[in-house]
Amino acid sequence: MTTNALPQVLAHLDEQTLLSMYWMMLLSRKVDERAWALHRQSKIAFHISAMGQEATQVGAAFAIHRGVDYVHPYYRDLALCLAVGITPTDFMMSLYAKTGEYSSNARQMPSHFGAKHLNIISGSAPVATQVPQAAGLAFAIKYRQQNGLVDRHDASQPRLALTCLGEGSTSQGEWHEGMNWAGVHKLPFICLVQNNAYAISVPVESQMAIANVADRAAGYGIAGVVVDGNDILAVYAVMKVAVERAYNGDGATLVEAKTYRIVPHSSDDDDRSYRSREEVASWKLRDPILRFREVLMAEGVLTTDAADTMDRRARAEVDAAQAAAEAAPSPEPEDALGAVYAPLDPEASPHEATPS
Ligand SMILES: Cc1ncc(C[n+]2csc(CCOP(=O)(O)OP(=O)(O)O)c2C)c(N)n1
Ligand SMILES: [Mg+2]
């Protein structure tokens, strides 16, 4: 899908929503840029980036019912998770591993997003393990709705599970198991593959013998679609169709967003060893944020002044988030000996248990 979908999608989205989408992409980029700088200043130990993939992630987030649908993200989903409700301060607290950090009280590595109040499920480091877990969640959603089981939310409310991973991770067995399960049980499930052309140093051509990950959808009996992942409105449109399919009980969708990460794999990678500077530069020209900015300006939704103001606001938010994280206390060494997970209330039902 290309920007041919533009008039239709624009008609669907009011100006405020379009500006919110732009804001989320911008905020994610500013948080991301600061994280790289903090790493190079030796203030934080590690960062893994969403830069270049903001259109895919924010487009997807705006298509789902945020906070109600389950999201089982992967490590690169900074923009997706910010759009769902994680704050820049939350993320900075993870980078600095400070006491009170939102996802695990600083026990997880940063970018292992997990927030119960937002229905963001915490993942583990082995790639693709989130896929069968998310398919299992989708199975639970369907089972509980079919059996009228009362949930935290109204059981009659349509709901789905969304998971994300990179194209390289679709070589893992877990991915196939999860996709097959979603197909067999016709689950309210969306798998968003963010195809950024590399799995660390391994180019996609060395990863698979076919052109599109989405072509495999037929093998699982589910819908598959390829979309330009640098075009936020195209991603939003494709995701909306997938969301409606899930809500209507018509089964799962495999969405493949073709995109590119414009920075190294992580703060510990040197991408000069496996890709040319010319290639990276050519993709920077297709930066999804600049592209969306041009669309919004052409449509009269955004002016240069308004864009500059948003830029300054995003920087100020990042400054405040960094200051808050730096001011927060670090864990005591003996905290490492405590419980890995928050203690659960033994009186609560398995579905209602909340950390005490
Ligand atoms: C099972 C497993 N094998 C290897 C790794 C190391 N690893 C971390 S990220 C990554 C590359 C994944 O590439 P891709 O799925 O394309 O996602 P991208 O990072 O490009 O977004 C690898 C090999 C891992 N975390 N888990
Ligand atoms: Mg990749």
Side-chain angles (χ1 to χ4, degrees):
M1 190 159 194
T2 64
T3 34
N4 294 340
L6 189 60
Q8 221 182 335
V9 181
L10 282 174
H12 219 76
L13 294 166
D14 59 42
E15 283 195 13
Q16 200 42 54
T17 308
L18 290 166
L19 289 173
S20 298
M21 292 167 106
Y22 179 74
W23 165 252
M24 276 302 160
M25 293 171 82
L26 189 67
L27 184 64
S28 178
R29 179 66 65 91
K30 298 288 178 216
V31 171
D32 218 323
E33 285 172 347
R34 182 66 54 86
W36 279 96
L38 294 174
H39 180 268
R40 296 315 194 230
Q41 293 166 4
S42 300
K43 287 189 172 177
I44 61 168
F46 182 77
H47 178 55
I48 193 156
S49 180
M51 274 195 226
Q53 298 180 208
E54 294 94 343
T56 295
Q57 296 179 14
V58 176
F62 273 71
I64 63 168
H65 192 168
R66 288 173 280 163
V68 171
D69 291 330
Y70 284 100
V71 177
H72 210 330
Y74 87 127
Y75 47 80
R76 210 173 285 296
D77 277 330
L78 173 61
L80 171 64
C81 291
L82 288 173
V84 172
I86 284 171
T87 67
T89 302
D90 291 336
F91 187 68
M92 284 287 170
M93 291 282 284
S94 302
L95 292 177
Y96 281 86
K98 289 298 183 81
T99 294
E101 184 272 337
Y102 78 99
S103 72
S104 64
N105 203 16
R107 286 170 178 279
Q108 280 271 36
M109 279 179 80
S111 298
H112 287 64
F113 308 99
K116 191 175 177 194
H117 66 291
L118 298 169
N119 283 343
I120 296 178
I121 311 298
S122 183
S124 27
V127 297
T129 45
Q130 68 273 28
V131 180
Q133 292 171 8
L137 261 171
F139 185 88
I141 292 168
K142 185 170 178 174
Y143 179 86
R144 288 172 66 77
Q145 286 179 343
Q146 279 181 342
N147 292 282
L149 296 169
V150 178
D151 207 346
R152 278 192 294 137
H153 298 275
D154 175 8
S156 64
Q157 189 166 14
R159 223 172 181 195
L160 58 81
L162 164 68
T163 194
C164 299
L165 73 168
E167 82 297 336
S169 303
T170 67
S171 297
Q172 288 290 120
E174 283 90 344
W175 185 72
H176 301 285
E177 293 170 30
M179 299 306 288
N180 187 52
W181 182 252
V184 168
H185 296 284
K186 224 177 171 190
L187 298 180
F189 175 76
I190 301 173
C191 179
L192 173 61
V193 174
Q194 301 182 32
N195 185 346
N196 60 12
Y198 290 91
I200 311 185
S201 57
V202 179
V204 64
E205 303 77 36
S206 305
Q207 194 74 237
M208 48 191 246
I210 55 172
N212 304 310
V213 177
D215 293 345
R216 297 180 184 152
Y220 306 115
I222 68 173
V225 59
V226 178
V227 65
D228 178 349
N230 281 24
D231 180 346
I232 187 169
L233 297 177
V235 173
Y236 174 84
V238 157
M239 281 292 300
K240 264 290 175 213
V241 172
V243 166
E244 288 312 313
R245 181 176 293 127
Y247 287 168
N248 292 334
D250 294 329
T253 309
L254 167 56
V255 177
E256 178 185 7
K258 305 268 196 198
T259 180
Y260 194 84
R261 69 166 155 76
I262 53 177
V263 289
H265 172 76
S266 74
S267 53
D268 297 355
D269 175 41
D270 182 353
D271 64 340
R272 289 173 300 185
S273 65
Y274 57 85
R275 58 184 188 178
S276 71
R277 295 306 85 193
E278 292 72 31
E279 179 186 306
V280 177
S282 76
W283 275 94
K284 282 187 177 170
L285 295 176
R286 290 181 256 174
D287 187 312
I289 299 181
L290 296 179
R291 193 163 155 185
F292 192 38
R293 183 184 155 122
E294 277 168 21
V295 170
L296 294 178
M297 287 192 173
E299 293 295 322
V301 175
L302 187 66
T303 61
T304 310
D305 277 356
D308 291 348
T309 304
M310 285 168 97
D311 216 79
R312 281 196 297 277
R313 216 178 93 214
R315 269 175 217 276
E317 275 210 27
V318 176
D319 286 344
Q322 182 187 336
E326 286 181 350
S330 292
E332 297 299 329
E334 53 272 25
D335 290 349
L337 304 174
V340 172
Y341 298 103
L344 296 177
D345 176 359
E347 300 299 317
S349 79
H351 294 288
E352 297 302 326
T354 48
S356 56

